[in-house]
Amino acid sequence: MRGRDTLEFLGLWESLHNPNFKPVEFDAFRSQAGTHAFTMSPSKWIAGVDAVGIVVKAGRYGGTYAHTDIAMSFATWISPEFQLYIMKDYRRLKSDENSRLSLSWNLNREVAKLNYRIHTDAIKQNLIPPALTPEQIAFTYANEADLLNVALFGQTARQWRDAHPGQKGNMRDEATIQQLLVLANMESYNAILIEQGKPQSERLVLLRDLAVRQMRTLEALDICRLPQLTNGGNGESKRVVSVPAFPPPCRQKEK
């Protein structure tokens, strides 16, 4: 604890986690660190800066205890092997996290694509007369797709491309998991509205209302904290994320 680097680390940790940390006293310790006459102990550190990251307990089961961050920093200092294990495990955890996020995003992207097929079938059966040319048919599909884009994202596909000239893909490729879930519900709902014969202007208002309500609901949920169900076949735990039933009740934001 006499080392300047150690005190810098401890002082930074306390400044981030301890509202009662004494920076003036810390500066005095830091200015003396590294000199031959300077000494430091856990008790002196705690009393000097009102530290909370390190605790000293007396008695039969007493000893010096530290917060996990500080303990791991100490362990990496005394053991290069332990430090390498920490670095390796950190990379593994980040890789696993990215894989789970990517899997969830791709799953919801595929759900949106499947619902889009339901959407286009409704357009074909109800909005496209047999006499239309291929160009007119394509325009009808694009027009209905932009109806969903405006209701959910607030802009058309063309407007998004104009605002992101160097971006590959489209706005749906950049959508969040929550937006993709809502988009899937909107496609199914719009198909129902089309079959009911509602005009596009009325459908836009209804779809926008649905998008707002469902986004509020999903943003109030922390998907990463949803309960896991155990697969009875092999005993493995798998996270189950369900698409909310349409139309879902509106819940207040929690997150």
Side-chain angles (χ1 to χ4, degrees):
M1 293 186 68
R2 293 176 64 241
R4 186 180 183 87
D5 290 342
T6 302
L7 287 183
E8 290 279 3
F9 175 82
L10 293 175
L12 177 60
W13 191 95
E14 294 289 342
S15 66
L16 293 175
H17 300 88
N18 181 7
N20 299 319
F21 178 60
K22 300 177 179 179
V24 176
E25 288 78 358
F26 168 67
D27 288 338
F29 284 150
R30 181 168 53 182
S31 64
Q32 302 172 38
T35 62
H36 293 293
F38 178 69
T39 59
M40 178 57 69
S41 67
S43 297
K44 182 178 179 180
W45 171 253
I46 296 170
V49 300
D50 199 13
V52 297
I54 296 179
V55 177
V56 176
K57 295 183 178 180
R60 180 178 178 182
Y61 300 104
T64 302
Y65 301 87
H67 185 275
T68 305
D69 297 339
I70 300 173
M72 291 181 65
S73 176
F74 179 72
T76 59
W77 176 69
I78 63 174
S79 172
E81 181 182 9
F82 181 79
Q83 183 175 13
L84 289 174
Y85 279 126
I86 290 295
M87 294 167 62
K88 180 180 179 180
D89 207 43
Y90 175 78
R91 290 195 299 270
R92 179 186 63 80
L93 290 172
K94 293 303 293 183
S95 177
D96 290 347
E97 178 185 334
N98 290 334
S99 296
R100 288 194 298 271
L101 290 175
S102 177
L103 178 61
S104 298
W105 189 91
N106 287 326
L107 174 61
N108 286 289
R109 189 72 171 100
E110 291 304 315
V111 169
K113 288 180 180 178
L114 291 173
N115 277 273
Y116 188 66
R117 178 60 183 270
I118 299 174
H119 185 232
T120 54
D121 284 349
I123 296 171
K124 181 178 180 181
Q125 296 170 10
N126 297 275
L127 299 181
I128 300 180
L132 288 181
T133 65
E135 291 77 11
Q136 291 171 323
I137 293 175
F139 174 79
T140 303
Y141 283 126
N143 190 35
E144 286 298 321
D146 268 339
L147 177 70
L148 300 179
N149 292 334
V150 171
L152 179 58
F153 303 107
Q155 58 185 335
T156 65
R158 178 63 181 273
Q159 290 172 332
W160 186 90
R161 286 194 300 271
D162 291 342
H164 304 81
Q167 196 94 2
K168 294 183 178 180
N170 55 55
M171 71 172 73
R172 299 188 182 192
D173 293 326
E174 301 298 323
T176 64
I177 294 176
Q178 290 90 343
Q179 287 173 327
L180 291 175
L181 285 169
V182 173
L183 179 62
N185 285 348
M186 290 174 64
E187 288 168 341
S188 297
Y189 187 38
N190 194 37
I192 294 173
L193 296 177
I194 290 173
E195 291 173 354
Q196 291 176 352
K198 294 188 179 296
Q200 190 179 77
S201 58
E202 183 179 348
R203 286 188 281 117
L204 177 59
V205 174
L206 294 171
L207 290 168
R208 178 61 180 173
D209 179 65
L210 171 69
V212 170
R213 288 188 291 110
Q214 292 203 351
M215 283 300 298
R216 286 175 179 169
T217 299
L218 292 177
E219 287 177 355
L221 298 175
D222 185 351
I223 293 180
C224 296
R225 294 188 180 186
L226 290 180
Q228 293 185 358
L229 300 180
T230 301
N231 186 345
N234 53 21
E236 296 180 354
S237 293
K238 295 186 178 180
R239 192 174 303 281
V240 178
V241 181
S242 59
V243 178
F246 174 78
C250 179
R251 292 197 290 264
Q252 295 300 318
K253 251 189 174 181
E254 166 191 319
K255 187 174 178 182

